């Protein structure tokens, strides 16, 4: 499948309009799922906390073009916005940590504010316009409480043609006035997307006083000793492609992205649609590749059937 993906990425529709990946809150590594796309794609990555981030605009980084910006992204541009630098760089936010809400949780110390600074803020539409970019294919944000408002700041015609959108959004009270999972899901239910993946994660519910009252061994292994509660979720949306605005290029890239996400049924549907609409045999190759990928599960299915048959034969 890799050879087919690379041929599609090098084809005329994708050369003329290369994939655009946007990462808001990009401290740490860029998503692993983007690696195959990188040599043929443009990436725009933002992080306001530069303790784990370098600023560059490069075409020699493994990407067709990589723009990494130490910029605060907000729903509207502003000359000065408060930004809270926390003990963990990955918890820094424009929103003040909710101390009372965090107090009962094991990881509350990560949100301790080391200092508050003021930064100018840019909006995502403003930056895209300055870079001459008019569309987004893969949108990823982990902005610590402001994911929904940043997405919603984009024009509707850009939002509705995003192919995949990845979020890490809160469930428990970590920031004051944050965008929660339920609000994001309510918004996305009004747009042409479906949930592809949902991975709920969280901390242990134990306050600092109770934690410090335990022995050193208990504290060291508290993550294994206590049940985790839902605290935040990594949620991924794929475009349904129900609208008729999508081009041959979009269908080909949609097939790639759906395949990367393991949504081979959706990828198959996009290949069938492209074949009916355009007739390009590249879509037939995509179709065959999707069928091959879904049939790879047959050995596991046979093994499960065999185990079930054996269990029925064994005495109760």
């Amino acid at each position: 499948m890799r050879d087919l993906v690379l041929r599609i990425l090098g084809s005329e529709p994708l050369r003329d309009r290369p994939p655009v990946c946007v990462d808001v809150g990009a401290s740490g590594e860029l998503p692993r799922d983007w690696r195959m796309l990188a040599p043929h794609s443009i990436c725009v990555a933002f992080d306001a906390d530069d303790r784990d981030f370098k600023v560059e605009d490069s075409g020699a980084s493994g990407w067709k073009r990589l723009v990494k910006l130490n910029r605060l992204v907000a729903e509207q541009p502003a000359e000065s916005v408060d930004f809270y630098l926390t003990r963990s760089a990955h918890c820094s936010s424009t929103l003040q940590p909710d101390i009372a809400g965090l107090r009962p949780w094991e990881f509350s110390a990560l949100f301790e504010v080391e200092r508050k600074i003021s930064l100018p803020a840019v909006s995502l539409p403003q930056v895209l316009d300055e870079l001459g970019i008019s569309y987004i294919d893969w949108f990823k944000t982990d902005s610590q409480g402001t994911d929904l408002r940043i997405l919603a700041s984009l024009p509707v015609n850009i939002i509705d043609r995003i192919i995949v959108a990845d979020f890490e959004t809160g469930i428990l009270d970590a920031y004051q006035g944050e965008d929660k999972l339920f609000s994001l899901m309510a918004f996305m239910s009004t747009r042409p997307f479906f949930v592809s993946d949902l991975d709920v994660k969280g901390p242990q519910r134990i306050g600092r006083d109770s934690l410090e009252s335990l022995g050193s061994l208990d504290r060291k292994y508290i993550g294994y000793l206590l049940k985790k509660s839902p605290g935040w979720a990594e949620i991924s949306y794929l475009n349904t492609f129900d609208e008729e605005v999508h081009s041959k290029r979009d269908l080909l890239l949609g097939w790639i992205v759906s395949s990367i996400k393991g949504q081979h049924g959706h990828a198959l549907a996009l290949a069938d649609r492209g074949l009916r609409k355009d007739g390009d045999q590249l879509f037939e190759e995509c179709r065959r590749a999707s069928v091959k990928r879904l049939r790879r599960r047959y050995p596991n299915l046979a093994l499960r059937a065999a185990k079930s048959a054996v269990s029925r034969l064994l005495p109760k």
Side-chain angles (χ1 to χ4, degrees):
M1 179 176 280
R2 180 181 177 84
D3 289 344
L4 176 57
V5 168
L6 294 178
R7 276 202 291 125
I8 293 171
L9 290 171
S11 66
E12 184 177 344
L14 274 298
R15 287 200 310 270
D16 293 344
R17 192 174 170 89
V20 172
C21 302
V22 171
D23 189 348
V24 180
S27 65
E29 288 187 303
L30 293 169
R32 295 176 63 87
D33 283 348
W34 293 1
R35 291 183 179 180
M36 196 182 303
L37 302 177
H40 304 270
S41 304
I42 299 167
C43 177
V44 183
F46 302 85
D47 203 315
D49 188 336
D50 62 1
R51 289 176 293 178
D52 195 18
F53 194 76
K54 293 188 296 183
V55 179
E56 58 182 291
D57 183 350
S58 173
S61 54
W63 289 81
K64 184 181 182 72
R65 183 185 181 192
L66 173 63
V67 181
K68 297 180 76 175
L69 300 167
N70 175 220
R71 295 292 183 270
L72 177 61
V73 182
E75 62 269 37
Q76 293 182 343
E79 292 184 1
S80 179
V81 173
D82 289 340
F83 190 74
Y84 298 88
L85 293 168
T86 55
R87 177 180 292 187
S88 169
H90 300 282
C91 299
S92 299
S93 175
T94 57
L95 303 178
Q96 187 171 357
D98 186 338
I99 303 303
L102 288 164
R103 188 171 293 118
W105 299 100
E106 169 270 334
F107 71 160
S108 60
L110 299 179
F111 293 81
E112 290 180 357
V113 177
E114 294 187 340
R115 59 194 175 101
K116 182 178 75 170
I117 60 176
S118 293
L119 294 172
V122 296
S123 70
L124 191 50
Q126 171 193 9
V127 172
L128 294 178
D129 184 61
E130 290 176 359
L131 294 174
I133 297 172
S134 60
Y135 61 95
I136 298 172
D137 294 302
W138 199 319
F139 178 79
K140 176 257 175 185
T141 178
D142 179 11
S143 61
Q144 303 304 317
T146 62
D147 292 352
L148 175 55
R149 64 195 75 175
I150 290 172
L151 175 70
S153 72
L154 292 166
V156 170
N157 65 308
I158 291 182
I159 295 174
D160 287 355
R161 295 189 67 170
I162 290 171
I163 294 176
V164 59
D166 294 330
F167 306 89
E168 184 171 308
T169 189
I171 297 172
L172 59 78
D173 297 325
Y175 299 97
Q176 297 179 16
E178 68 184 296
D179 299 335
K180 295 285 191 67
L181 176 63
F182 69 88
S183 298
L184 174 67
M185 296 188 75
F187 176 84
M188 294 299 283
S189 70
T190 68
R191 312 306 333 154
F193 294 91
F194 70 94
V195 177
S196 171
D197 300 278
L198 178 62
D199 186 8
V200 177
K201 300 184 176 184
Q204 294 78 23
R205 189 174 176 88
I206 182 170
R208 186 178 303 179
D209 291 344
S210 297
L211 186 62
E212 291 179 353
S213 72
L214 299 174
S216 59
L217 195 62
D218 295 328
R219 294 196 300 273
K220 182 178 180 180
Y221 293 106
I222 198 67
Y224 300 96
L225 301 177
L226 288 181
K227 172 184 176 179
K228 290 185 177 181
S229 298
W232 63 93
E234 295 177 357
I235 185 168
S236 181
Y237 285 89
L238 279 173
N239 200 299
T240 61
F241 282 80
D242 288 342
E243 307 293 331
E244 292 299 323
V245 296
H246 298 285
S247 64
K248 174 183 179 179
R249 176 259 186 205
D250 296 340
L251 290 170
L252 287 169
L253 185 55
W255 179 85
I256 291 175
V257 167
S258 298
S259 300
I260 290 173
K261 287 291 188 179
Q263 288 285 355
H264 300 298
H266 190 52
L268 177 60
L270 296 181
D272 283 337
R273 180 171 165 184
L275 195 57
R276 291 192 304 269
K277 183 177 179 180
D278 184 84
D280 191 326
Q281 286 305 298
L282 199 55
F283 286 112
E284 177 59 35
E285 292 186 58
C286 292
R287 189 185 188 286
R288 289 198 299 267
S290 292
V291 171
K292 183 177 181 180
R293 288 300 295 250
L294 65 88
R295 286 176 177 167
R296 288 176 63 179
R297 291 186 175 270
Y298 270 123
N300 289 336
L301 184 62
L303 181 60
R304 288 174 59 187
K307 287 182 178 179
S308 179
V310 170
S311 67
R312 288 196 298 269
L313 296 174
L314 294 175
K316 302 294 183 182

